Amino acid sequence: MANLLLIALGAALVNNVVLSQFLGLCPFIGVSKKTNTASGMGFAVIFVILIASGVTYGIYYAVLVPFNITYLQTIVFILVIAALVQLVEMILKKFVKPLYQALGVYLPLITTNCAVLGVAISNIDNGYSFVQSMACALGTSIGFLVAIVILAGIREKSENNNIPVAFRGTPMVLLAAGLMSIAFSAFNGVI
């Protein structure tokens, strides 16, 4: 149990998928303008990463390894992730229409969110068991949620501040993300 907790905490804090591995930057930068939209995206990513990790683990060991076609891993994983994102999109459109409209073009971007694919591949590469893979997926997705919500909070707070013209917009966002990355690197000695 302690091993699973270390895997999850390590994935969320030390090896944060956005702040240390730089995966999933498109939705991280694009959807982090408002905290409620960012949290909605974070929860959608949690759902997709958890389901994708479980399904890709099963497909890898039940289909790809027995038939010796592991070289198709990336293509198969992308197809699985795309199907899962379509499922999430249909669910949000049906049950949470305001969030679906707020996420806009960024919801389909989860399909190409390299964080989702990165977690699925790294779970296989690290030789994790199914339970360890799910712990890593949960930690990674919670780390993504925390990072995107913190950045959204920073962006909301900075809207009404007197920021120099050269730092307004994207430069301020990238500077804030860089400082967050430095701050999260402090967890490296803890875990």
Side-chain angles (χ1 to χ4, degrees), residues 25-73:
L25 289 176
C26 296
F28 178 68
I29 302 291
V31 184
S32 61
K33 292 178 182 159
K34 300 287 179 199
T35 52
N36 49 346
T37 307
S39 61
M41 173 59 94
F43 285 115
V45 167
I46 287 174
F47 178 76
V48 170
I49 285 180
L50 281 172
I51 300 299
S53 292
V55 171
T56 55
Y57 182 90
I59 289 173
Y60 184 81
Y61 287 107
V63 178
L64 299 179
V65 170
F67 290 108
N68 198 24
I69 53 173
T70 55
Y71 57 89
L72 294 176
Q73 169 186 342

Side-chain angles (χ1 to χ4, degrees), residues 31-186:
V31 184
S32 61
K33 292 178 182 159
K34 300 287 179 199
T35 52
N36 49 346
T37 307
S39 61
M41 173 59 94
F43 285 115
V45 167
I46 287 174
F47 178 76
V48 170
I49 285 180
L50 281 172
I51 300 299
S53 292
V55 171
T56 55
Y57 182 90
I59 289 173
Y60 184 81
Y61 287 107
V63 178
L64 299 179
V65 170
F67 290 108
N68 198 24
I69 53 173
T70 55
Y71 57 89
L72 294 176
Q73 169 186 342
T74 304
I75 295 169
V76 171
F77 286 8
I78 289 171
L79 291 173
V80 167
I81 291 166
L84 290 171
V85 170
Q86 290 303 312
L87 176 68
V88 169
E89 190 172 2
M90 290 186 302
I91 289 170
L92 288 179
K93 189 174 184 179
K94 177 83 172 167
F95 297 110
V96 194
K97 194 129 182 130
L99 179 60
Y100 172 77
Q101 291 170 341
L103 292 175
V105 71
Y106 294 103
L107 187 57
L109 275 179
I110 297 175
T111 301
T112 59
N113 186 344
C114 46
V116 181
L117 181 61
V119 171
I121 291 174
S122 71
N123 286 339
I124 300 298
D125 289 347
N126 290 331
Y128 286 155
S129 68
F130 179 77
V131 176
Q132 289 173 325
S133 294
M134 296 310 288
C136 182
L138 181 64
T140 300
S141 56
I142 288 174
F144 180 86
L145 171 68
V146 168
I148 197 170
V149 169
I150 290 173
L151 184 63
I154 292 170
R155 288 178 79 170
E156 281 183 354
K157 291 287 185 188
S158 67
E159 276 182 5
N160 301 323
N161 293 338
N162 188 14
I163 298 173
V165 177
F167 287 107
R168 289 186 189 152
T170 305
M172 193 280 305
V173 174
L174 295 175
L175 184 63
L179 291 173
M180 286 173 55
S181 179
I182 293 169
F184 269 64
S185 73

